[in-house]
Amino acid sequence: MPPVKLTFAKPALSYADQLGLLARRGLGVADAVQAQRWLAAVGYYRLSGYMLPFQRGGSGPDHHVFQPGATFDAILDLYTFDRQLRLATLDAIERIEIAFRAAITETMSALYGPHWFLDPARFRPGTDHGRLIAKIEDDIGHDPRNAHRRDTAIRHYYAKYGAPPLPPSWMVFEALSFGTVSQTFRLLEQRAKRQIAATFNVPEPVLESWAHAISYTRNLCAHHARLWNRVFTIKPMVARAYRVELTPNTTFHAQAVTIQVLLRALPAG
């Protein structure tokens, strides 16, 4: 038989009551007024993830009780560190993302022309090309009902040109989500993928895996999710040249290694 599920009955607490709960669990609070302001600005639930190292843990009734010496300020320091880590990570990923878009569109356009992505032959066998094009069309606002979502360059293309039905690669790939860019690379023909990967000095399967992992990390950063102490469900491939640094590959450290390696292929600055 399936386990009996409980009924959620926890009440919503005021900021003063939240702080009182933390104090009863043993958390030191130097400035109650300032602490309540932080609870209002950040939220108890978000901060609770940063409380875990300071609590007893386990599965007993006292697992939320704080260890001796734990303070609200220490939790805030950890939260602030993670915020700064997230901003630095997003800044680094931005450089990789832009270079990745450029490498795909410049390589493919040079080989097959500006509208190469409209040709199913440019993708590996078995690719659902129609589905990919539908995703690209959705990202760029191809449907006239979504014209308000179009970038300026794409809006100009539709106003001036009637064919081909989509703008050239260099316009399209600036408007795609990084997830769609990563997916497009994964589906490309093998020869072109190897050429694109060479610009980052890594093998093609490695770049495919790492781009997917970085796309996931980028989304975490964009949604202000916690990076510190996270177990990453989308993991970068453990490349042979970086086996030690990428083991285990479920940590932020592994994500940071992939970002650092890819940044080395780009101009400094």
Side-chain angles (χ1 to χ4, degrees), residues 52-74:
L52 297 176
F54 302 97
Q55 295 173 325
R56 292 183 183 178
S59 57
D62 61 348
H63 66 284
H64 285 311
V65 172
F66 288 93
Q67 300 173 12
T71 66
F72 192 84
D73 286 343

Side-chain angles (χ1 to χ4, degrees), residues 38 50 76-92 221 224-228 252:
W38 273 105
Y50 303 94
L76 281 182
D77 286 344
L78 192 53
Y79 168 77
T80 302
F81 160 77
D82 189 51
R83 177 178 178 274
Q84 293 170 344
L85 176 65
R86 192 163 53 244
L87 293 173
T89 301
L90 196 57
D91 179 71
C221 292
H224 324 301
R226 177 166 47 86
L227 296 183
W228 165 83
F252 175 76

Side-chain angles (χ1 to χ4, degrees), residues 24 27 32 34 68 81 94 196 214:
R24 289 194 299 275
L27 184 66
Q34 186 69 0
F81 160 77
E94 175 188 315
I196 294 165
I214 288 174

Side-chain angles (χ1 to χ4, degrees), residues 91-161:
D91 179 71
I93 289 177
E94 175 188 315
R95 295 180 57 203
I96 295 170
E97 177 182 346
I98 290 172
F100 189 50
R101 293 172 189 268
I104 293 174
T105 190
E106 295 300 327
T107 300
M108 298 300 293
S109 295
L111 288 173
Y112 304 114
H115 288 86
W116 57 268
F117 56 94
L118 295 176
D119 184 357
R122 304 285 66 90
F123 299 89
R124 69 188 190 190
T127 295
D128 188 340
H129 184 254
R131 182 176 181 181
L132 176 63
I133 293 300
K135 184 67 175 74
I136 289 173
E137 289 178 343
D138 183 61
D139 278 12
I140 69 173
H142 173 70
D143 190 315
R145 292 172 296 183
N146 296 323
H148 62 283
R149 292 168 37 198
R150 296 173 181 169
D151 288 351
T152 301
I154 290 178
R155 188 181 303 118
H156 172 75
Y157 179 87
Y158 283 121
K160 187 172 183 179
Y161 301 102

Side-chain angles (χ1 to χ4, degrees), residues 144-204:
R145 292 172 296 183
N146 296 323
H148 62 283
R149 292 168 37 198
R150 296 173 181 169
D151 288 351
T152 301
I154 290 178
R155 188 181 303 118
H156 172 75
Y157 179 87
Y158 283 121
K160 187 172 183 179
Y161 301 102
L166 295 180
S169 174
W170 49 83
M171 290 184 190
V172 166
F173 274 71
E174 285 298 307
L176 298 182
S177 71
F178 191 34
T180 304
V181 174
S182 175
Q183 179 188 12
T184 302
F185 176 75
R186 179 177 61 85
L187 296 172
L188 288 178
E189 63 177 27
Q190 206 67 22
R191 180 173 76 101
K193 288 176 72 173
R194 284 195 296 267
Q195 189 170 331
I196 294 165
T199 65
F200 291 94
N201 301 319
V202 294
E204 166 267 316

Side-chain angles (χ1 to χ4, degrees), residues 85 88-89 92-93 96 200-202 206-207 209-211 213-214 217 227 232 235-265:
L85 176 65
T89 301
I93 289 177
I96 295 170
F200 291 94
N201 301 319
V202 294
V206 171
L207 183 58
S209 170
W210 289 9
I214 288 174
T217 301
L227 296 183
F232 286 76
K235 308 175 289 293
M237 174 187 289
V238 178
R240 184 178 304 171
Y242 304 99
R243 186 179 303 277
V244 174
E245 295 90 338
L246 289 172
T247 305
N249 64 345
T250 56
T251 65
F252 175 76
H253 179 266
Q255 302 283 337
V257 168
T258 65
I259 291 170
Q260 182 184 42
V261 171
L262 295 179
L263 283 177
R264 290 175 185 164

